[in-house]
Amino acid sequence: MTKDERACFADAGLLSDHLDAEIVDWWDTISSHVRMQTKQLKTGTGRLGERNTIKYEKSRTNIDPVWMSIDSNLVGYDIKSQVSKNDPGTLLIEVKASTFTLSRAEFYVTSNEWNVAITSGAYVFHLWCLSDGKKMLAILSPDEILPYIPTNNLDGQWETVKIPFLCFEDKFVEIA
């Protein structure tokens, strides 16, 4: 906060060490609003990545892929496509997108996504770096992601892992 902003908050009693219930409720409302805005931005970026994958897959296979994550984000992948123009076998795609630069972008893999990735046969991750007006895509197999996946130990089970895009810098290509 700037000095003036801090003074306004202090004058309103919002920075006191002894906050009453009304002030705590105000902070909770602001906090919820900020979290909701952040979630909406992330969802928008994710949807943009998914639309890019749909367009890419349509061009690559000449078929319309199925946008699975519109109905549910619990299936462990976002897009159902086919292996190639000549191979109609199912290809499952988990899409990750960021508007940060390659050096700052990161993505999360859930244990559910990972379990589907390693048990489904044909599965890839599409990483979209959408910064500086460019569209860059890295297509990664589960084997390429594997070194970054934690293991369950004793009674502990991992749920989510954060991986920097930069780990796959050499895999990105610019898409027109």
Side-chain angles (χ1 to χ4, degrees):
M1 277 189 242
T2 68
K3 183 179 173 185
D4 290 340
E5 290 167 339
R6 189 163 195 67
C8 287
F9 276 78
D11 288 347
L14 298 172
L15 299 179
S16 169
D17 288 337
H18 305 288
L19 303 174
D20 63 27
E22 187 176 325
I23 293 173
V24 171
D25 287 345
W26 184 87
W27 278 112
D28 287 346
T29 300
I30 295 299
S31 176
S32 293
H33 183 70
V34 169
R35 280 194 299 273
M36 183 177 60
Q37 282 185 318
T38 301
K39 184 177 179 177
Q40 286 175 336
L41 285 172
K42 288 180 181 179
T43 298
T45 300
R47 293 296 190 215
L48 180 57
E50 290 167 356
R51 282 192 294 276
N52 284 334
T53 287
I54 287 170
K55 182 179 176 185
Y56 178 85
E57 286 299 300
K58 171 78 172 171
S59 171
R60 187 182 71 80
T61 65
N62 285 334
I63 62 124
D64 288 319
V66 180
W67 197 345
M68 301 298 293
S69 63
I70 292 293
D71 294 328
S72 171
N73 62 356
L74 301 177
V75 295
Y77 57 94
D78 297 311
I79 309 293
K80 183 169 27 172
S81 188
Q82 70 181 42
V83 173
S84 69
K85 287 180 183 176
N86 300 322
D87 183 347
T90 299
L91 175 65
L92 306 180
I93 304 168
E94 177 59 31
V95 180
K96 305 297 183 180
S98 178
T99 55
F100 290 115
T101 60
L102 200 57
S103 62
R104 290 189 51 221
E106 55 197 22
F107 66 102
Y108 294 84
V109 176
T110 67
S111 59
N112 180 50
E113 291 163 351
W114 185 248
N115 288 333
V116 174
I118 62 173
T119 60
S120 65
Y123 188 107
V124 294
F125 292 84
H126 279 195
L127 273 55
W128 288 97
C129 186
L130 307 169
S131 67
D132 303 325
K134 292 191 253 180
K135 289 194 296 189
M136 295 178 52
L137 172 63
I139 300 175
L140 306 170
S141 70
D143 286 344
E144 292 169 297
I145 303 284
L146 179 61
Y148 304 94
I149 300 297
T151 57
N152 295 332
N153 294 304
L154 300 175
D155 291 333
Q157 292 187 5
W158 73 276
E159 293 181 7
T160 305
V161 61
K162 177 173 67 172
I163 306 170
F165 274 39
L166 204 52
C167 295
F168 309 101
E169 180 178 21
D170 62 328
K171 303 288 184 184
F172 280 89
V173 294
E174 194 163 345
I175 304 295

